[in-house]
Amino acid sequence: MADAEALTPRVFIARHGETEWAKNGRHTGKTDIELTPYGIKQVHTSAKELVGAKKLLDPARLAHVFVSPRIRAQQTFHLLFEGANSVPDESVTVTEDIAEWDYGDYEGLKTAEIHALRKSRGLDAERPWSIWKDGSEGGESPEQIAERLDRLIAQIRDIQRPAMKGEKAADVVVVAHGHILRVFAKRWLNCPVDLPVDMVLPPGGIGILSYKNNNVNEPAIQIGIALPVTD
């Protein structure tokens, strides 16, 4: 079983490193903000420890990389895959399907400020606001988020379906943002956007999704990692 699991295609979800707005708790959707120097170090550390030949994320096993068009995600992608770990241009797709949630009227606001704004508009009399249930005024709804993520997941499944037992390199990397990657994980499991489960993916962090039983119809989350065995 261990050998079969090692051959099952994986999806690595990589969150961009720290930005000033993220550090301050401000909702950052379409605003283009670069990584802080510390954010660059976060990604460098992840790349050094996890990316490379015979490491957890081996570029030789990659079939494709999907990247958000926002500059913070672009920087993160290039930091992860620079030098000997670079990937061919034809294996990289920059797509709005994995861009961060469009926060609309809430762009740049902290959570407490969003609650105050909504209260001033007569909203949330029965329960507190939840991005997962209510979305953003002037921005995207949970249904819109699910639609674009489901479209991306379908592309990934098409890439990985012919290689469920290691027939060819089929790992995929998705480089994006905190909120959208948490929804991506829920939709990967065919769960609703408002599934009441807390997920944490720190800036510069990398998570892993895969499948049970080498079956494309049994998507799963890897809750632990086994590092590659080297001689």
Side-chain angles (χ1 to χ4, degrees), residues 97-153:
D97 281 349
I98 198 61
E100 183 57 296
W101 202 306
D102 180 353
Y103 296 120
D105 296 354
Y106 309 154
E107 183 76 5
L109 300 182
K110 299 178 181 180
T111 299
E113 294 171 333
I114 295 172
H115 284 295
L117 175 64
R118 289 177 63 88
K119 184 177 180 180
S120 72
R121 294 176 175 177
L123 301 173
D124 307 329
E126 297 183 359
R127 61 170 176 79
W129 169 75
S130 165
I131 186 72
W132 318 111
K133 291 181 179 292
D134 305 310
S136 302
E137 294 179 277
E140 287 182 295
S141 69
E143 293 76 19
Q144 289 171 312
I145 292 292
E147 180 181 0
R148 61 180 171 95
L149 289 180
D150 289 353
R151 183 166 57 236
L152 177 59
I153 289 170

